[in-house]
Amino acid sequence: GAVQTDSQVAASASDSTAEAVEAAAGKDFYTEDIKIAFLPNVIGDSCAAAWADGMKAYLDTFSNVTFDVYDGEASVDTEVQIMDELINQSYDAIILQATDAAGLAASVDKAEAAGIPVITCNLDADTTHTALVAGVDTEAGEAMANSIGESLGGEGKVVIISATPGATKGENIDAGFKAVLSEKYPNIEILDEQSGEWLTENANTVMNDFLTKYPEIDAVMCHNDAMAEGAAEAVKAAGRLEQVQIWGCDGESKMLDYIEEGLCTGTIYTNCQSQGASCAQMAVFAIESGITAKNLTSTPVVKMAPVIVTKDNLSDITEDMRW
Amino acid sequence: MSELLEMKGIQKSFNDSPVLKDVEFTVKQGEVHALMGENGAGKSTLIKILTGIYPKDGGQIFWEGKAVDINSRSDASKLGIGVIYQELSLIPTLTVAQNIMLGKEKAIKGILQSNKMKLDVEELIQKYNFRIKADAVVETLTIAERQVVEILKALSENSKLIIMDEPTASLSAKESESLFGIIEQLKQQGVSIIYISHRLEEVYRLSDRLTVLRDGVRVAVLEKEEIIPEDVIRLMIGKDLSEATASNNLRVSDKRVLLKVKNLKRKGVFKNISFEIHEGEIVGFAGLIGAGRTEVMRCIYGADPYDSGEILFEDKPVSKTISKNIKAGFGLVPEDRRNQGFTPLLSIEKNIALTNYDTIASHGIVNRAKEKEYGNTMVEKLNIKPGNSQIPVGNLSGGNQQKAVLGKWLSRDLKLLIIDEPTAGIDIGAKDEIYKIIENLAENGTAVIMVSSDLQELLRVSQRVIVMRKGEICAEFSEGRITQEHILMAESGILTKGGNEDEK
Amino acid sequence: MRQENMRRIISVASLFLMMMVFGLTSSSFFSMNNMMSILRECSINGIIAIGVAFVIITAGIDLSTGAIVGFTSMMCANLLYYYQLPATLIFVIAIAIGTFCGVLNGYVVTRLRVPAFIATLSTQYLFRSLVFAFAIREGGVITNKKITDPGVLIMGGSIDGIYLVTIAFVVLAIVGQIILKKTKLGTYIYATGSNQKSAELSGINAGKVKWIVFIITGFLCGIAAIFEIGRIGSVTTDLGTGLEFEVIAAVVIGGCAFSGGRGDIFGTFIGAIFMAVLQNGILKYNLPTAAQLVIKGIVIVVMIIFDSVYNNIMQKRILQKARELDEAAQAEEVA
Amino acid sequence: MKNNNLNIKTIFNKSQKLWILVVVMIILTVLQPGVFLTFANMKSILLSISIYGIMVCGTIFPILLGGIDLSVGAVAAAAGAFTVVQIVNSGYTNQGVIIGVCGGLLLGIIVGLVHGVIVTRFNVPPFLITLATQNIVYGVAQLLTGNNVIACMEPKLFAFLGGERVLGVPFSVWIMIFMALISYVLLNKTVFGRSIYAVGGNAEACFLSGIKSKTIIVLAYVASGFTAAMAGIVLASMNRQAIAKAAQGYDNFVLTALVVGGASLMGGEGTITGAIWGAFLVGVISNGLRLLGVASDYHGIIKCIVIIAAVALDANIRYKKSGLQKKSLFFKKNKAQA
Ligand SMILES: Nc1ncnc2c1ncn2[C@@H]1O[C@H](COP(=O)(O)OP(=O)(O)OP(=O)(O)O)[C@@H](O)[C@H]1O
Ligand SMILES: Nc1ncnc2c1ncn2[C@@H]1O[C@H](COP(=O)(O)OP(=O)(O)OP(=O)(O)O)[C@@H](O)[C@H]1O
Ligand SMILES: [Mg+2]
Ligand SMILES: [Mg+2]
């Protein structure tokens, strides 16, 4: 036989099984057993945990749903491998945080062709699929730029502690942040940018070095809260908390504590539990209705709203919204 | 006879200390040329330069009259130089055949002719009448068998010159004899041989010419008729030696029994081992290689388990833990010096300290001054060269390494010292020193068990000789006079227990 | 020799045992799709493992394989995106880059005399940095572009359900085994690993042998990269991270000893499949990830311990047998 | 003092690669005048290596034995997780901190004990066993944290470990210095240390000399587990949180520091001062590159070159001195000297 790529196999399979899928579509959540899998980029950080919590809370309202969480180990390769596995195990829906949009496209195609709806969470896959519950990254970057620009009065010096180089979310935040600065606040200078690899302790080290090198820093922008916390510790140790604004992104509860204590300035809060719940809702909807990528010409997007949180509006984020 | 090899003005230093100084060395076609010298004189180093293992710092090598550059082992092979190195150079995980053919495999279109090579090797083994299987994996062989493989490897090359660095160090008398036969045969075929050995009688017997090195300097070249033992020894060590005649005054000690071994057995290794050792006595253990002497000693010492039998020390059962036995006064100088005797990277003093922490350290903290003192005392007492106790033992020559290993025990209150092949590969001067040390120990009440394949040494030192054969004690000589022949006959099973009685 | 065969049988048997356990407790395990998935999962690791087995048999180690795969893949993606090179040329370049990385590793290890462990750990940093240097960027921001060249994507494909990468793995494993057992190089690889000093005394250029095995590994990493990009269809900057440890685990589970001189490609082949089966099987139970990790770890630990206990027993047996033969021969001689 | 002088000289003679550190530091001082060579910056370098530095103090023991411990990252994560979970469960009390820290350290000790016992009892390669247990221990860390980030802002006592400063120097640096001192004393002044070097150089010879090599090996892994756990707890305190994937990849850094610092992975060679120097060198490079504003993408290239240069320099000087050198560093010398 001729050599066929996965997508070709998937395409032909989807043609032949199209009807079968059609017939099978529309599972009943109250009589049939439903299996839903969640495959985040990496397990063990607070976002993934909050998403999973949100999903679980929502899915627990149904008695027959099994909900499993897998670990993408921050690697495309592993995610592709696990996607294969999930398809082999015929899950009813997959909620995926795609480590790489392009890299997981083929796997998503394959799943959709097999009649399994894929809902991407936070990070998109580069192909049409059942739904995307988009997080805030570009917008978060923009929001931080606006807040910093405004509070500095359009003039000042900023450093960036960035994600692991090449990470999609980090690159997006960066792009949004820089675009707004160069457009609206040309007088704000980006002094330096170094990677903290998402980690608190690395951000601490990086910030220490920035503080050594630059006698004058007005704000530091971090690609996530964990790094902002690390940076805050460094700034505090240097006794420069008064002069430096520290911004993070995510809105995890520990960050809110830091803001409360005055160690950090602000963060871009996303309600991850509710984002997770939305993913689960989309999955349930897709399973019930039998909608897969075939019925769609482009991926429907659900957007989460970015909330800028500073000490002033901290109390808006109530206890049940914290994660 | 023409000059096959000429080495001129060879110089070499290791870590900035000169080891060879302007050495001249020539070998003629078809001669057996002995290379003599004390431990550390630089013999092995010279050989390694000749065979491209070490680069030389200066000098020239001429082969059949032409200047040559030897930069690697294969350069030497191409010229027709075969070597048996002092330290075995076999690959443990390969078979005998693979080892012998290593570096000269036969292949057609890149695919090895394994069967053909195996047959060739079997033929070779047949030709020289050895008892080894071509497809045995080397790591399953005894040291003696490995030595045989090493010899075969050198023979397989059809070389014009074969260098033998201590080929008999771990061979039994019988296997040595076959080697001598082979050397004769090779000589007939016009092959030259460089022969290095500390067994002087072999050297006198075999060699046509003899070069003596001392401290990296060539001190003499002797023609066959000039080879007079006393002269050679004097040249080697630079002074006269009061060589005691091989004494053979056997006697049973009347002191109290220190060690009693009853019916010791280890399946497949040895059985029916019973003997007694008295205080202050030196008992020699003779036997062919593989007779199981080392194994018995290791069991007594607590290094290996045994299946049945009893070992009593001062009428109390011996512990199976080495450290307890050491506390009770045991000591062991193992046979395989490099792998079992010392830690090569550590200095002499730290090696010596290893067995003496009970006195050097208190509450687990080392007393540095004491450690130094112990090291220096031993270096001085044993005349370890170079006389600096900070040098890693791995950098010493064989003989000095052995002295360092002995040094581990001599500062202890020893009651029983087991020495396995105490002088393998050690020069005559050092040998004598080691014998003196052993005798001294015995005089002070330490019982010494000496396992040795050197019959002369056994006769020279021991007060009793026990002979083992195939894992059993087959003879014991405890009174009267014996000669090397007695032991040889017992070792090969012709003479049985208490054999000296029916001697005339 | 016979012991080696025995060990073989046992390791294959334990593989089958594990497969039976998974098969009986999970309905989808023995499905055709799943079997093919397993073979596919093990293949990329397996291809690299062939080279790493060579390295480990010479008593070396290569920690840079994951980074080489990442770097090679990124170069391919870069050339495809910016220059639209044809697939065949890309393959040649991928292999050339992989091989070059191997040459560099070999150089550092043999010429600069840096121990293999630290050398390849350092070159890992280097190759990872090069990944970023050649990453596709838009406006200074790294973007992952989908690879669309059908000639490249076809490498991730299958014929009648059998993936090309699996076929390549089997072929390369056979070639590897032949090199190891039937050529001079193979013998020299064993000799170098078993006792380098002795090998050198026997006239073998151990440095050259070591260099060659690193080059072979680099070459195979290049091939693996081709299949990797064919399969994933895009290249992220962290592609191949941690791959080196999976590969090493497969090689060692397959019977190659770190001390060198032991093991072969057949064992490595089994080892690679073993790891893939374990990984795949554990995913079947929908266990929490923590439990998966723990079980996976325990199975590997048990395997390693079993292997070592078995080897020790066999070693003793061999000695025993040698002694008995010895005795028999001596008895014969006396008679 | 003359003796002191001699010591420095011998250190540098033994390990020529230390000059690399000096050279790197001089270059950085020239390139970044008034920034690099300042007390504040040195402090921040020390802080950045303190976690690794603490690990190095224990991990050197298995390395000296010719073993290795690849599980230090995992142990750190699990120990940190245990401590934080304890503190949270106890309601952020000081008592909880004490119990948590002791428990975390105990966890490290237990893991080390298991490694040691498996390695000695079954004679398996430590590389493999610690690679495999890494999975298990990370699994434990996941179980403890429930795959979530557990924040722990209270009490002060806990924050002190990783965050406070004493005499202007972060407390974690003091812990590193303290551990290095203990390690130094253990290695150089005690029978245990001597035995470590001896067993690493030749285990069989030590066995025959009556040294309880098995106990030594087990203790070495225990030491490694202990310091890994301590590093993990300090890290948790520094970050005020427990996270299952903490300290991932630290194993590599620890090994780099050790080897750059002169330890041989074959065992028997290496010093704690060297290891700290090694850690410091890598810390200095990263710090220097950041100060120079080199994008983090390219740090690896410089790191690779400096590490290889350091190790190769040492290896080659040693090789040359040993009299075994046949080939020059960069190309084959065809002609021997005329
Ligand atoms: N690789 C080496 N590194 C450092 N020093 C060495 C090395 N090899 C030999 N030496 C030193 O060179 C000197 C000569 O050693 P060599 O092995 O040539 O002596 P030898 O005459 O063969 O002695 P023996 O009879 O004990 O074998 C010794 O002092 C030894 O310590
Ligand atoms: N390294 C080894 N590997 C395998 N078998 C060995 C080894 N050493 C000894 N043996 C086996 O143990 C038995 C006893 O050998 P051993 O060398 O102890 O005898 P020995 O009388 O002590 O000889 P030696 O003169 O070498 O000390 C032999 O039958 C041999 O097969
Ligand atoms: Mg010699
Ligand atoms: Mg013996």
Side-chain angles (χ1 to χ4, degrees), chain C residues 56-60 251-252 255-263, chain D residues 125:
Chain C
I56 289 185
I57 294 174
T58 60
V251 171
V252 183
C256 295
F258 274 122
S259 47
R262 277 171 232 271

Side-chain angles (χ1 to χ4, degrees), chain B residues 249-390:
Chain B
N249 288 327
L250 300 184
R251 56 183 182 273
V252 184
S253 166
D254 48 6
K255 298 225 180 85
R256 75 184 171 114
V257 174
L258 197 68
L259 180 82
K260 214 182 260 179
V261 178
K262 280 192 221 156
N263 267 325
L264 203 65
K265 175 177 177 184
R266 187 166 181 214
K267 244 176 95 187
V269 185
F270 54 77
K271 54 179 186 263
N272 292 336
I273 304 291
S274 306
F275 61 88
E276 286 178 357
I277 308 281
H278 301 256
E279 229 169 35
E281 151 179 85
I282 306 173
V283 179
F285 266 72
L288 295 181
I289 301 281
R293 295 165 294 172
T294 301
E295 264 75 3
V296 171
M297 296 312 149
R298 282 176 63 94
C299 285
I300 294 173
Y301 186 62
D304 286 337
Y306 49 89
D307 295 326
S308 64
E310 226 183 332
I311 311 173
L312 298 175
F313 182 71
E314 292 180 326
D315 294 323
K316 285 188 289 287
V318 163
S319 159
K320 292 187 179 176
T321 318
I322 292 180
S323 53
K324 281 187 191 151
N325 287 338
I326 290 178
K327 270 206 196 93
F330 281 42
L332 173 82
V333 177
E335 154 186 58
D336 187 349
R337 197 181 306 143
R338 185 158 269 280
N339 290 319
Q340 304 177 338
F342 58 87
T343 304
L345 290 171
L346 289 190
S347 62
I348 298 174
E349 62 181 18
K350 284 187 183 164
N351 264 290
I352 288 174
L354 275 184
T355 51
N356 294 303
Y357 283 129
D358 46 355
T359 50
I360 289 179
S362 62
H363 306 295
I365 305 290
V366 177
N367 182 339
R368 186 77 186 89
K370 239 183 190 171
E371 184 182 56
K372 258 188 186 152
E373 181 198 311
Y374 273 50
N376 289 334
T377 316
M378 281 303 143
V379 165
E380 214 168 288
K381 190 165 161 190
L382 300 176
N383 193 18
I384 298 176
K385 272 181 266 181
N388 179 348
S389 63
Q390 315 277 349

Side-chain angles (χ1 to χ4, degrees), chain A residues 67-87:
Chain A
F67 174 64
D68 298 315
V69 183
Y70 290 82
D71 186 0
E73 294 171 5
S75 135
V76 187
D77 210 37
T78 311
E79 281 206 322
V80 168
Q81 206 168 315
I82 294 179
M83 282 298 285
D84 272 350
E85 178 61 32
L86 300 178
I87 296 166

Side-chain angles (χ1 to χ4, degrees), chain A:
Chain A
V3 183
Q4 288 183 303
T5 63
D6 267 6
S7 336
Q8 287 162 344
V9 174
S12 60
S14 104
D15 285 344
S16 60
T17 58
E19 276 147 47
V21 171
E22 210 77 16
K27 275 196 165 184
D28 185 344
F29 258 75
Y30 295 94
T31 55
E32 291 172 76
D33 283 338
I34 306 284
K35 291 198 300 181
I36 296 176
F38 174 42
L39 173 54
N41 159 39
V42 66
I43 209 168
D45 66 16
S46 41
C47 286
W51 285 324
D53 277 353
M55 291 172 201
K56 202 158 165 15
Y58 178 74
L59 293 174
D60 273 349
T61 54
F62 305 97
S63 54
N64 300 358
V65 176
T66 347
F67 174 64
D68 298 315
V69 183
Y70 290 82
D71 186 0
E73 294 171 5
S75 135
V76 187
D77 210 37
T78 311
E79 281 206 322
V80 168
Q81 206 168 315
I82 294 179
M83 282 298 285
D84 272 350
E85 178 61 32
L86 300 178
I87 296 166
N88 280 341
Q89 287 192 37
S90 349
Y91 270 86
D92 293 293
I94 299 170
I95 303 169
L96 167 73
Q97 183 195 9
T99 299
D100 175 38
L104 278 141
S107 299
V108 171
D109 282 342
K110 201 170 160 186
E112 293 279 359
I116 304 172
V118 178
I119 290 91
T120 46
C121 172
N122 214 40
L123 296 175
D124 196 7
D126 199 357
T127 180
T128 305
H129 55 279
T130 308
L132 162 67
V133 181
V136 286
D137 38 30
T138 314
E139 297 84 345
E142 289 163 0
M144 278 191 274
N146 280 322
S147 304
I148 291 175
E150 233 167 86
S151 62
L152 292 182
E155 208 154 332
K157 296 188 161 92
V158 181
V159 290
I160 300 175
I161 299 180
S162 56
T164 306
T168 312
K169 184 183 165 196
E171 302 284 359
N172 287 345
I173 294 177
D174 224 40
F177 185 78
K178 284 176 182 164
V180 169
L181 276 198
S182 66
E183 221 170 85
K184 286 172 70 179
Y185 307 103
N187 289 336
I188 291 187
E189 186 191 353
I190 298 179
L191 287 173
D192 210 333
E193 172 167 2
Q194 290 283 344
S195 166
E197 292 167 355
W198 296 123
L199 297 173
T200 314
E201 67 267 26
N202 286 6
N204 190 336
T205 308
V206 170
M207 194 62 212
N208 265 326
D209 291 349
F210 285 160
L211 292 168
T212 313
K213 192 174 169 191
Y214 304 107
E216 208 178 304
I217 297 174
D218 297 312
V220 46
M221 188 275 272
C222 305
H223 286 178
N224 73 351
D225 285 343
M227 293 194 289
E229 292 152 20
E233 295 291 347
V235 176
K236 181 180 145 202
R240 281 161 72 170
L241 273 177
E242 294 301 311
Q243 297 121 43
V244 186
Q245 294 189 23
I246 300 161
W247 283 82
C249 174
D250 284 343
E252 61 180 33
S253 57
K254 187 170 157 223
M255 181 63 173
L256 302 182
D257 290 347
Y258 267 69
I259 296 176
E260 177 116 53
E261 286 184 20
L263 291 165
C264 288
T265 314
T267 184
I268 310 304
Y269 169 86
T270 313
N271 191 334
C272 282
Q273 277 144 332
S274 121
Q275 190 179 3
S278 305
C279 293
Q281 278 166 0
M282 294 305 293
V284 169
F285 171 70
I287 296 169
E288 271 180 336
S289 62
I291 288 178
T292 62
K294 263 192 318 304
N295 317 78
L296 303 163
T297 49
S298 67
T299 313
V301 182
V302 179
K303 271 234 172 247
M304 301 306 295
V307 181
I308 303 168
V309 179
T310 58
K311 209 163 184 175
D312 304 334
N313 63 345
L314 200 56
S315 52
D316 294 355
I317 314 295
T318 52
E319 201 51 47
D320 60 313
M321 287 165 72
R322 298 199 177 195
W323 46 274

Side-chain angles (χ1 to χ4, degrees), chain C residues 107 113 129 137 252 289 308, chain D residues 122 127-128 142 297 300 316 330:
Chain C
Y107 177 80
R113 274 178 278 276
S129 270
R137 282 170 198 260
V252 183
T289 50
S308 130
Chain D
F122 301 108
F127 182 98
L128 262 192
Q142 288 194 2
D297 304 9
N316 279 286
F330 292 103

